[in-house]
Amino acid sequence: MSIRDWPDGERPREKLLARGAGVLSDAELLAVFLGSGRRGLSAVDLARNLLADAGGLKPLLDAPRAQAGIGAVAWCRLAAALETGRRYLDAELRRGEALTDPSASARYLKARLAGYPYEVFACLFLDNRHRVIVFEELFRGSIDGASVHPREVVRRCLVHNAAAVIFAHNHPSGIAEPSAADRAITQRLREALELVDVRLLDHFVVGQGTPTSLAQRGWL
């Protein structure tokens, strides 16, 4: 049965307009971007098949287009939507207001780092009122680690005249539990930054679910 034959209250676009995007399932959201299905499959059915084959929404969106099984037009729509979301979060942090909500920082850092299949260490450089100066990816590594060099971190702080920083790195495994190595490098970075009067506010580990804050764990 075509989606056009469904009751109005069950069609993804009509549901979105009437009740908001939050009520849609992953398959329904994906169907909105696909626009149409294939012979014998509605857009929602096609979306369900794509999600099942990929193992969920995140693996589907992280996969190269050739592996995802999505046409070029639909893939461009999805990629543009993801980038729009990242830039929206980026704009939230660039409003000129001081960072007072750790959850906003965590959402932004997850949006920037969660999709990488390898480890990335990044930094939010802040001024003396804890307003964002710039976000930078500083180091990239393999699937299970990235080498972090305190001297380079200090150098970038001086370049940006930062008064404080928030670090973040992703765990491609999806497990956001800080390792002993994570805690050790955080301590080394804090000690190095203290020499140039830069305060380390937090270090987030990004995986599945909510990023883990080392500050909230009492490790800073």
Side-chain angles (χ1 to χ4, degrees):
M1 178 186 295
S2 168
I3 289 179
R4 285 190 290 269
D5 298 323
W6 294 8
D8 287 348
E10 296 181 11
R11 299 176 190 171
R13 289 178 183 171
E14 283 71 10
K15 284 175 65 175
L16 187 154
L17 291 170
R19 299 164 58 193
V23 305
L24 300 186
S25 67
D26 288 350
E28 290 171 329
L29 282 170
L30 186 55
V32 171
F33 286 101
L34 294 175
S36 62
R38 296 173 181 168
R39 185 180 298 275
L41 289 176
S42 70
V44 174
D45 291 331
L46 175 58
R48 287 173 180 152
N49 290 346
L50 291 169
L51 291 169
D53 290 343
L57 186 60
K58 184 179 184 301
L60 176 66
L61 297 179
D62 289 344
R65 183 176 69 85
Q67 296 178 19
I70 297 176
V73 173
W75 184 258
C76 287
R77 290 173 183 160
L78 287 170
L82 286 172
E83 183 59 24
T84 299
R86 293 188 187 102
R87 294 186 187 188
Y88 173 81
L89 291 172
D90 188 49
E92 275 196 322
L93 295 186
R94 292 175 180 271
R95 294 185 297 196
E97 298 179 2
L99 284 179
T100 57
D101 181 7
S103 63
S105 303
R107 288 194 303 270
Y108 173 77
L109 293 166
K110 181 174 181 178
R112 293 297 299 256
L113 300 178
Y116 286 118
Y118 46 82
E119 193 165 302
V120 176
F121 184 93
C123 181
L124 277 171
F125 296 92
L126 312 174
D127 67 13
N128 58 3
R129 294 176 59 186
H130 295 173
R131 297 174 300 188
V132 175
I133 299 171
V134 69
F135 167 85
E136 283 189 1
E137 295 177 7
L138 298 178
F139 309 104
R140 294 188 176 193
S142 63
I143 194 170
D144 58 358
S147 296
V148 177
H149 305 286
R151 182 173 64 178
E152 178 63 14
V153 175
V154 170
R155 188 181 74 83
R156 298 306 298 167
C157 286
L158 296 176
V159 166
H160 295 301
N161 195 28
V165 293
I166 296 174
F167 295 132
H169 75 280
N170 64 313
H171 283 178
S173 66
I175 300 172
E177 183 64 26
S179 66
D182 294 336
R183 295 179 63 181
I185 191 60
T186 301
Q187 180 62 26
R188 286 184 60 202
L189 288 167
R190 185 175 70 173
E191 292 171 354
L193 292 172
E194 285 175 347
L195 297 175
V196 290
D197 294 323
V198 175
R199 185 182 175 197
L200 173 55
L201 301 181
D202 209 337
H203 184 171
F204 289 98
V205 180
V206 175
Q208 294 178 352
T210 303
T212 299
S213 162
L214 270 69
Q216 290 182 348
R217 292 281 185 93
W219 293 339
L220 286 180

